[in-house]
Amino acid sequence: ERARFVTHGASEHAVAQHRLFDRALSRAVADGKLPLDGGLELPELLERLCEIPGIGPWTAHYVAMRACGETAAFPAGDLGLRRAFGSRRGPASERALLAASEAWRPFRAYAALLLDGSQGRAGFARPQPANRLISLERASHRTHLGGVQLAL
């Protein structure tokens, strides 16, 4: 396992930090301090996740999205999402992306997946050329999520 991380450019320190994070998260779940069954409201879930060493807001929102199915979670600090929402001049600021994401509640996690896919990272969409960044404000297509239409 260590060799796999190192071969992908992670340092020994990063591997050690990842292991500490994995253990701390696993311990919190096993001890019942962090239920991942949907029993917590999003703000409380994010707060509890951020109490775990190695987890900040970005990671907390991803865990809430992926492990807990929280549709309102949105990792606005993710550089890939900021690039996708930005322009040719550069990535959008976290503040600008977070403000825009408020219009997508309660389905912000789906918007995150669409933005992520527009960068070709998650396989949700064909990879775009590096110089063609997609902005949800400018995209012309629409998507239906759970009976709610989001204009993207």
Side-chain angles (χ1 to χ4, degrees):
E1 185 177 313
R2 186 178 127 222
R4 182 172 54 91
F5 283 116
V6 172
T7 59
H8 285 92
S11 67
E12 293 283 331
H13 176 73
V15 172
Q17 289 300 107
H18 186 76
R19 285 191 183 131
L20 288 174
F21 161 76
D22 282 349
R23 287 185 187 126
L25 180 61
S26 298
R27 196 170 316 123
V29 172
D31 292 346
K33 295 177 183 173
L34 182 65
L36 299 179
D37 61 1
L40 296 176
E41 294 294 324
L42 181 59
E44 186 177 356
L45 175 62
L46 296 172
E47 184 179 321
R48 288 196 191 182
L49 281 165
C50 287
E51 291 172 355
I52 298 171
I55 296 184
W58 178 86
T59 306
H61 277 270
Y62 260 107
V63 171
M65 277 175 37
R66 301 284 187 165
C68 303
E70 284 288 343
T71 60
F74 190 80
D78 183 282
L79 182 58
L81 299 184
R82 291 177 42 226
R83 283 181 176 149
F85 191 74
S87 67
R88 292 178 189 259
R89 285 183 238 146
S93 70
E94 182 174 346
R95 175 182 273 171
L97 182 55
L98 189 58
S101 76
E102 289 302 316
W104 306 324
R105 279 188 186 271
F107 299 106
R108 296 186 323 162
Y110 295 107
L113 295 174
L114 289 169
L115 281 167
D116 196 45
S118 75
Q119 294 296 292
R121 297 189 317 170
F124 293 96
R126 289 193 322 252
Q128 301 293 323
N131 63 348
R132 183 171 172 222
L133 301 177
I134 303 298
S135 168
L136 284 181
E137 289 181 329
R138 294 184 206 104
S140 61
H141 67 282
R142 297 183 182 275
T143 186
H144 294 272
L145 302 170
V148 176
Q149 183 176 342
L150 294 179
L152 301 180

